[in-house]
Amino acid sequence: MKEEELGEALHDLMVRTTPPPSMDPASALDQGRRALKRRRIAVTGAAAVTLAVGLGAGPALVVHYAGSRPASPMVAGGTGTSRPLATPRPVSTVTPKAPATRKSGDPWPEGQTDRTATAGPRADRAVTLMNELSSSVPAGFTSPNLKYPDGLSMRWPQAQYASNDGEQDYWQYQATIPVQKGDRVGKLLASSTTPDGKPALTPCKLAQKFWGGTGSCTVVDVAGKKVGVLTTNGHDSYDQWAVYRYADGTVVYVAQAKKSDSNDRPPLQQPVFTARQLAELATSPNFKIST
């Protein structure tokens, strides 16, 4: 193609195509503003789409995160529906120890050679019981250290292992003292038995177990405590006694007799205590020994 023909062809092409944009400043500024506006709309739309996607994914992410940790026991502000987690209770692994039960052939407890404890804490408790009984003697009576004809003291304490075969271990503490008024002598006894695991009896049934006693029994109320008071027919070693069983199973007896065990001394002419005074003594914590 000749140079003239090429020039004509290029000129013809330029004539048929769209003319270039006007170089007018106002028109150029207006086009620039419209382009910027379209760009802002495009950017805002893209951000909105991103936010919508983020919101749509949010709950799934929260649920997934919450599922990877223990649920909260409470919702802040108290507006949630989550229920508080129950606090697990500690499970005791300690098995209650059953009371020891005596079997045939078992040795006597605490190194004893028989049922009686002649030394140690148990013997000391019996001595304390005897001293408390001496302190209870009312005015007009005394408790001197009198002797039997063979020279033995009429005041004696005793601590005794009381369980038989098949029974729970339990102990009985006793004390006997002479009571004198003038030249006449009677006696008092206090007994405290530790809990033996046996069923509770009515006050009078319990009173009838002491010395195999027979006679008339009445129930005396001492500040709400029911005490059995048994008065014998005069054929027992004691004329009258009161008994009270504590809620823990400890049983206390207090007994009195106008006549002592010594035949060379005349008996008292009157009881040391009234029936009510005897019942009150049976409920005194001074006579309770539970171990």
Side-chain angles (χ1 to χ4, degrees):
M1 178 180 293
K2 293 182 179 180
E3 183 177 352
E4 292 84 357
E5 292 177 349
L6 178 60
E8 291 178 357
L10 289 174
H11 177 74
D12 183 60
L13 177 62
M14 291 176 64
V15 171
R16 290 198 302 267
T17 59
T18 303
S22 171
M23 296 305 293
D24 178 60
S27 176
L29 181 60
D30 182 61
Q31 290 182 13
R33 286 175 176 171
R34 286 199 299 270
L36 179 60
K37 185 176 181 179
R38 286 194 301 270
R39 184 176 180 182
R40 285 176 176 173
I41 292 174
V43 171
T44 302
V49 170
T50 302
L51 180 60
V53 172
L55 289 176
L61 291 173
V62 170
V63 170
H64 175 73
Y65 178 70
S68 65
R69 58 187 294 182
S72 173
M74 296 188 68
V75 177
T79 59
T81 59
S82 298
R83 299 180 63 184
L85 291 176
T87 302
R89 295 182 179 180
V91 179
S92 176
T93 58
V94 179
T95 303
K97 184 179 180 181
T101 301
R102 182 167 180 81
K103 300 184 293 296
S104 295
D106 282 353
W108 296 112
E110 302 176 17
Q112 296 171 199
T113 58
D114 56 24
R115 287 187 178 274
T116 304
T118 56
R122 297 194 185 277
D124 293 343
R125 290 169 195 162
V127 172
T128 299
L129 181 65
M130 183 179 68
N131 293 335
E132 292 292 347
L133 184 60
S134 299
S135 299
S136 71
V137 173
F141 296 87
T142 61
S143 180
N145 188 20
L146 301 178
K147 308 288 185 179
Y148 290 110
D150 60 4
L152 294 177
S153 175
M154 297 176 69
R155 296 170 54 86
W156 59 267
Q158 177 177 282
Q160 175 179 266
Y161 178 74
S163 300
N164 293 315
D165 289 354
E167 292 183 339
Q168 170 183 321
D169 283 355
Y170 67 99
W171 288 77
Q172 183 183 63
Y173 302 91
Q174 286 189 352
T176 300
I177 63 172
V179 181
Q180 185 171 9
K181 186 173 186 179
D183 63 344
R184 297 178 176 272
V185 179
K187 62 181 177 180
L188 294 175
L189 175 144
S191 171
S192 184
T193 303
T194 65
D196 58 10
K198 298 176 183 178
L201 299 175
T202 63
C204 282
K205 286 288 186 183
L206 203 55
Q208 291 167 355
K209 291 188 64 177
F210 182 76
W211 287 88
T214 58
S216 61
C217 179
T218 59
V219 177
V220 178
D221 187 293
V222 180
K225 299 174 181 178
K226 305 302 180 183
V227 182
V229 179
L230 190 145
T231 303
T232 72
N233 299 324
H235 302 296
D236 297 270
S237 296
Y238 290 88
D239 303 322
Q240 191 176 53
W241 54 80
V243 59
Y244 177 65
R245 184 185 190 275
Y246 285 85
D248 66 356
T250 302
V251 176
V252 173
Y253 288 91
V254 180
Q256 64 180 350
K258 290 184 290 184
K259 187 179 184 300
S260 71
D261 296 330
S262 181
N263 294 325
D264 62 338
R265 300 177 186 275
L268 297 171
Q269 293 180 316
Q270 67 185 80
V272 179
F273 299 105
T274 66
R276 179 160 192 86
Q277 288 172 336
L278 206 62
E280 290 172 349
L281 280 178
T283 65
S284 171
N286 294 335
F287 297 143
K288 181 187 181 189
I289 308 177
S290 300
T291 58

